[in-house]
Amino acid sequence: MLVGRNESYCICASPVGVLKIERVEQGISAVRFLGENTISEMEYTDPMHPLLQQAVRELGEYFSGRRQVFTLPLAPEGTPFQHRVWEALRKIPYGSTCSYGEVAAAVGNPKASRAVGMANNRNPLPVLIPCHRVIGADGGLVGYGGGLDIKKKLLALERGKTRER
């Protein structure tokens, strides 16, 4: 546990690799992709914290196709503009996509596509704040902090498609 900010975290496996889920007093503050490394068991700094347990449960339900909306309290750090963008991203329906320009219009600044892209890039809560649902104006998959392969997997999951087995 980090001293001073009252943070704790857990590390868990997912279909898109190992995730580190971080929390502060106000809510979940970050989800980080740690790669394809396998882990033998969950790792918690605070195994009894109900918020971490809820995060693992809700993400597990999402990855199994049983959850479309997250109910976790979120506490991302960012600028007021980033928070407006992230709130707009949370309104993109499960299984849908929209362009950077559409998100810019939704936050009241239709010419701010690049700024929306930067806010997406700085999103500390991928999956929970679904920046993977934002695509290029031409419908192409562009940019994702976890890599385009993870973005493709998340979109395929939400569209009910799975990879060949």
Side-chain angles (χ1 to χ4, degrees):
M1 183 166 346
L2 299 174
V3 178
R5 290 195 57 208
N6 199 13
E7 296 180 343
S8 57
Y9 70 88
C10 67
I11 295 175
C12 64
S14 83
V16 294
V18 177
L19 302 176
K20 180 179 183 184
I21 305 165
E22 301 173 14
R23 73 143 195 106
V24 292
E25 230 16 73
Q26 300 80 10
I28 300 298
S29 58
V31 173
R32 303 188 194 286
F33 297 110
L34 299 183
E36 294 294 324
N37 300 331
T38 58
I39 59 172
S40 58
E41 60 184 55
M42 298 285 292
E43 175 187 324
Y44 285 92
T45 54
D46 186 0
M48 299 310 289
H49 198 282
L51 190 54
L52 291 175
Q53 292 175 351
Q54 180 184 355
V56 170
R57 183 177 63 253
E58 287 193 16
L59 283 164
E61 291 166 356
Y62 169 82
F63 286 119
S64 69
R66 294 177 296 150
R67 175 174 292 277
Q68 296 184 1
V69 176
F70 294 100
T71 62
L72 293 159
L74 303 181
E77 287 188 24
T79 67
F81 178 78
Q82 289 170 337
H83 279 273
R84 285 196 312 274
V85 170
W86 298 336
E87 192 55 38
L89 298 180
R90 293 182 74 191
K91 293 177 181 173
I92 303 170
Y94 180 92
S96 299
T97 57
C98 69
S99 71
Y100 292 94
E102 290 169 323
V103 175
V107 298
N109 194 345
K111 296 185 186 255
S113 295
R114 286 186 179 204
V116 165
M118 290 305 297
N120 265 17
N121 186 41
R122 299 247 190 310
N123 175 12
L125 291 162
V127 183
L128 300 177
I129 296 177
C131 54
H132 61 276
R133 296 178 188 156
V134 183
I135 59 175
D138 64 357
L141 299 184
V142 293
Y144 188 65
L148 287 181
D149 190 49
I150 290 177
K151 184 172 188 162
K152 288 176 190 174
K153 287 178 183 179
L154 293 172
L155 291 172
L157 168 82
E158 291 186 10
R159 292 180 176 146
K161 301 175 184 174
T162 56
R163 289 188 167 232
E164 295 175 9
R165 296 175 194 234

